[in-house]
Amino acid sequence: MNTNKIALVTGGSRGLGKNMALSIAKKGLNVVITFNNNKEKAEEVVKEIESLGQKAIAIQLNVSDFNNFSSFFDEVKNEITSKFGVEKIDYLVNNAGIGINTPFSETTQEQLDTLYNIQYKGPYLLTQEALKLLNDGGGIVNISTGLTRFSLNGFSAYASMKGAIEILTKYQAKELGERKIRANVIAPGAIETDFGGGVVRNNENMNKVIASNTALGRVGLPDDIGSVVAFLCTDDAKWVNAQRIEVSGGQMI
């Protein structure tokens, strides 16, 4: 199934974003990924997508560098016009982000500002800017976390920003409905990646505790998430809108 549709995945050079980009390509879409500083890893993902028979490009983006969003989308438009032969994108996946794990009582103003800028203000303003390039009938996929439903020590700031993203998603769905643009949010449970310094993947004790608190008996893997994001970037999900879809294997139920 080859289409001319394009998905833009922020933070697509590693971890969940890489898996999302590859899963989307397997659905027959072309992909634009962004990377913050690791161009080499991003180019490897581009090659992997091309080996699946789709087109891909990688463009540098810092999601907290708000003043450059306009020029970023100028670059996106130029690149997709020359390489894909179209001027607009169909899906935006706001995946780029970082995690900070600090007790509430010790969280600093700087940490709070960092998470606000990267996890909320960045996606808010980036999506706003993306509307000029987003086709009517397209879609927005935001990424939240299971931590908005259940609480684990140290994630008060991170989960609060993601809670704000979940509310924002509903408003995007409501206000962009006239353009037939759908907005949904995916909430992953604990996943084995290098996210947050690889805290879930590398900490054997934490891994066991999470697995024992998950109905399906294991910690999540990137492939568990990417395929769900890819589903939302297809017409199979045409009537799914304003939803929070938790993908956690039944964690903490």
Side-chain angles (χ1 to χ4, degrees):
M1 186 184 79
N2 200 296
T3 76
N4 271 329
K5 291 195 171 177
I6 299 172
L8 168 57
V9 181
T10 67
S13 63
R14 61 191 178 92
L16 287 184
K18 174 183 176 180
N19 193 275
M20 291 170 194
L22 291 169
S23 297
I24 289 167
K26 287 172 186 171
K27 294 283 190 187
L29 283 79
N30 297 324
V31 187
V32 179
I33 62 168
T34 76
F35 62 94
N36 189 10
N37 46 35
N38 201 330
K39 186 174 184 179
E40 199 175 303
K41 287 275 188 216
E43 291 299 342
E44 285 174 16
V45 178
V46 167
K47 286 191 174 69
E48 280 191 61
I49 291 171
E50 288 172 345
S51 75
L52 294 169
Q54 296 303 130
K55 297 174 183 171
I57 49 178
I59 302 176
Q60 198 278 333
L61 172 70
N62 176 347
V63 292
S64 61
D65 191 3
F66 320 119
N67 295 327
N68 273 337
F69 288 172
S70 180
S71 58
F72 165 74
F73 279 108
D74 286 343
E75 186 177 354
V76 170
K77 186 173 182 178
N78 290 337
E79 289 283 327
I80 64 175
T81 302
S82 65
K83 292 186 179 162
F84 300 164
V86 294
E87 294 186 350
K88 292 196 167 187
I89 63 172
D90 300 278
Y91 299 98
L92 171 64
V93 181
N94 284 307
N95 165 71
I98 62 160
I100 294 177
N101 183 323
T102 313
F104 167 71
S105 58
E106 297 167 24
T107 298
T108 65
Q109 185 172 307
E110 183 185 26
Q111 287 174 321
L112 203 56
D113 285 345
T114 297
L115 282 170
Y116 170 70
N117 286 335
I118 292 173
Q119 297 287 12
Y120 185 74
K121 188 176 180 180
Y124 191 108
L125 295 175
L126 188 74
T127 306
Q128 214 175 46
E129 195 68 42
L131 291 177
K132 301 169 192 168
L133 267 198
L134 195 60
N135 272 321
D136 289 0
I140 297 161
V141 182
N142 295 319
I143 310 300
S144 180
T145 171
L147 293 161
T148 59
R149 179 179 60 82
F150 53 81
S151 304
L152 296 177
N153 289 343
F155 291 106
S156 63
Y158 173 77
S160 294
M161 301 309 164
K162 290 302 196 181
I165 282 289
E166 291 185 8
I167 299 293
L168 174 63
T169 303
K170 291 182 185 176
Y171 276 85
Q172 289 171 335
K174 179 85 167 172
E175 296 189 22
L176 300 175
E178 62 185 8
R179 288 184 55 188
K180 305 295 184 280
I181 291 171
R182 298 176 296 108
N184 293 289
V185 61
I186 292 281
I191 308 291
E192 286 190 24
T193 67
D194 56 8
F195 187 76
V199 63
V200 173
R201 182 189 59 198
N202 302 337
N203 184 327
E204 192 179 338
N205 187 49
M206 181 183 273
N207 206 305
K208 280 181 181 168
V209 169
I210 291 166
S212 70
N213 283 305
T214 301
L216 293 182
R218 65 170 173 83
V219 171
L221 300 169
D223 202 44
D224 297 323
I225 310 299
S227 56
V228 181
V229 172
F231 158 71
L232 289 174
C233 296
T234 68
D235 287 341
D236 287 343
K238 63 183 178 292
W239 206 234
V240 181
N241 197 19
Q243 298 304 301
R244 175 194 187 273
I245 302 173
E246 185 169 317
V247 192
S248 69
Q251 188 176 347
M252 304 284 279
I253 55 170

